[in-house]
Amino acid sequence: MASVVPVKDKKLLEVKLGELPSWILMRDFSPSGIFGAFQRGYYRYYNKYINVKKGSISGITMVLACYVLFSYSFSYKHLKTPAGRSWAISEGNSQEGVV
Amino acid sequence: MNESLFTPFITPTVLGLPAAVLVILFPPLLIPTSKHFINNRLIIIQQWLIRLILKQMMTTHNAKGRTWSLMLTSLIIFIASTNLLGLLPYSFTPTTQLSMNLAMAIPLWASTVAMGLRFKAKITLTHLLPQGTPTPLIPMLIIIETVSLFIQPLALAVRLTANITAGHLLMHLIGSSALAMLAINLPLTLITLTILTLLTILETAIALIQAYVFTLLVSLYLHDNS
């Protein structure tokens, strides 16, 4: 099924499901392409939430919330409680030293 | 116990790559620039803040010292934003790493000393001896003043590291003790939570103050030497 507009130039929501792999492969993955993608994403968020006449605090709070989730995912491996040592108080352990 | 207490201070890595660079580069994203005359609220607040900082910091310097304005303003904004972001849960604060603070302190201090020696060599050397010392004490005092000069960058770096690290650690300890006591003794938990709230307010203040102190001292060394 040939499309009227070339697949490469379509936005993501307009790409049909069968064309998705070829769309992904045709994106620009060079460093300047990736940088351009980040820049476009940044300005899209900035112009929608911050660069408005009556921007509220939610514009920056969303960024900070994402930052917290991002840091949590980074430190998840360290945060998993090591086996055999939990901070839960159990019945017979009140004598054990913490250190 | 050691591992779980100091894990917030481990530099984050992704498959062995240091992701600390990304964390250090994050605060500038929150500080947009603008070419317009009338801006959105975020930029207006930040521009007001920067003007306030600039006026406070740079009025005491002469023309030569004012060439440092950009450096000192960006320094205080960087340290303040990094410290404040570190108060969020699970975040990594780069200023807790001594390596980074030394990397900030030593070049700045060394450049103030180099500036002094280059432009006012005699006066810089005479600063090593306070006025009005009795003659027999002079050799010892020069040694003491030289040592105190060389300790300045170390003190700058260690002061920042120790303050921020100690604050984070204290909050961790009190928080985990409040959590552990929730099952045992409820009033004590409430008291501990109050202490935690107060501590958080203190930490916010300290985050800002440390930034200020760091920059102020660098500017002081600059004033002496410019």
Side-chain angles (χ1 to χ4, degrees):
Chain A
M1 276 194 344
S3 325
V4 177
V5 178
V7 169
K8 181 174 163 215
D9 295 329
K10 280 201 224 171
K11 294 201 236 183
L12 180 59
L13 290 172
E14 293 166 7
V15 169
K16 302 198 194 317
L17 206 57
E19 294 171 348
L20 195 59
S22 57
W23 183 86
I24 291 179
L25 289 173
M26 283 194 212
R27 299 301 293 172
D28 185 10
F29 284 115
S30 67
S32 71
I34 292 183
F35 182 69
F38 275 116
Q39 219 177 14
R40 283 195 304 270
Y42 175 77
Y43 279 114
R44 204 166 128 189
Y45 184 86
Y46 181 68
N47 286 325
K48 180 165 183 192
Y49 288 109
I50 302 185
N51 202 10
V52 289
K53 209 161 167 184
K54 286 195 168 187
S56 70
I57 204 173
S58 66
I60 205 170
T61 316
M62 283 195 275
V63 179
L64 294 178
C66 278
Y67 177 63
V68 170
L69 290 172
F70 178 72
S71 322
Y72 177 70
S73 62
F74 255 125
S75 45
Y76 179 68
K77 208 168 64 160
H78 295 294
L79 285 169
K80 285 194 299 191
T81 321
R85 177 170 322 169
S86 77
W87 292 111
I89 308 294
S90 58
E91 282 299 323
N93 282 353
S94 51
Q95 300 294 330
E96 263 182 5
V98 171
V99 176
Chain B
M1 165 114 175
N2 277 338
E3 199 217 56
S4 59
L5 203 50
F6 284 106
T7 41
F9 301 116
I10 297 180
T11 17
T13 54
V14 173
L15 311 168
L17 294 171
V21 182
L22 285 174
V23 177
I24 294 179
L25 289 178
F26 176 66
L29 283 179
L30 301 169
I31 306 176
T33 53
S34 158
K35 291 181 275 218
H36 302 296
F37 185 58
I38 303 178
N39 297 310
N40 54 53
R41 286 177 176 176
L42 185 66
I43 293 188
I44 288 181
I45 293 177
Q46 287 168 352
Q47 280 177 346
W48 168 80
L49 207 66
I50 293 180
R51 278 194 197 117
L52 183 72
I53 293 172
L54 202 57
K55 209 156 64 158
Q56 270 277 24
M57 289 253 130
M58 303 316 288
T59 36
T60 57
H61 290 119
N62 55 13
K64 198 172 214 50
R66 284 189 190 160
T67 54
W68 278 60
S69 327
L70 183 60
M71 181 79 232
L72 293 176
T73 323
S74 54
L75 187 68
I76 186 172
I77 289 178
F78 173 67
I79 299 182
S81 60
T82 325
N83 289 350
L84 284 173
L85 278 176
L87 290 173
L88 294 170
Y90 298 119
S91 54
F92 168 68
T93 325
T95 37
T96 54
Q97 311 296 317
L98 185 62
S99 50
M100 189 179 108
N101 295 339
L102 277 174
M104 284 198 293
I106 292 185
L108 289 169
W109 164 84
S111 39
T112 59
V113 170
M115 239 176 89
L117 284 175
R118 163 92 172 75
F119 294 116
K120 313 197 314 191
K122 245 191 298 187
I123 301 183
T124 313
L125 287 174
T126 50
H127 275 160
L128 286 176
L129 189 65
Q131 254 180 344
T133 52
T135 323
L137 283 176
I138 288 185
M140 195 182 67
L141 215 58
I142 292 189
I143 296 178
I144 292 180
E145 287 288 323
T146 317
V147 169
S148 90
L149 180 72
F150 279 97
I151 257 192
Q152 278 173 353
L154 265 173
L156 272 177
V158 174
R159 181 186 304 116
L160 188 56
T161 315
N163 268 301
I164 308 291
T165 317
H168 285 351
L169 215 56
L170 212 56
M171 281 205 288
H172 257 273
L173 284 170
I174 294 188
S176 58
S177 80
L179 195 62
M181 277 200 286
L182 196 57
I184 303 177
N185 188 355
L186 194 59
L188 202 55
T189 314
L190 292 174
I191 295 177
T192 319
L193 281 178
T194 324
I195 296 180
L196 192 61
T197 326
L198 294 175
L199 202 59
T200 314
I201 299 175
L202 179 68
E203 280 309 303
T204 325
I206 284 191
L208 298 169
I209 290 172
Q210 284 304 314
Y212 175 65
V213 165
F214 195 98
T215 316
L216 193 66
L217 285 174
V218 172
S219 111
L220 204 67
Y221 301 152
L222 181 66
H223 189 71
D224 280 344
N225 287 324
S226 71

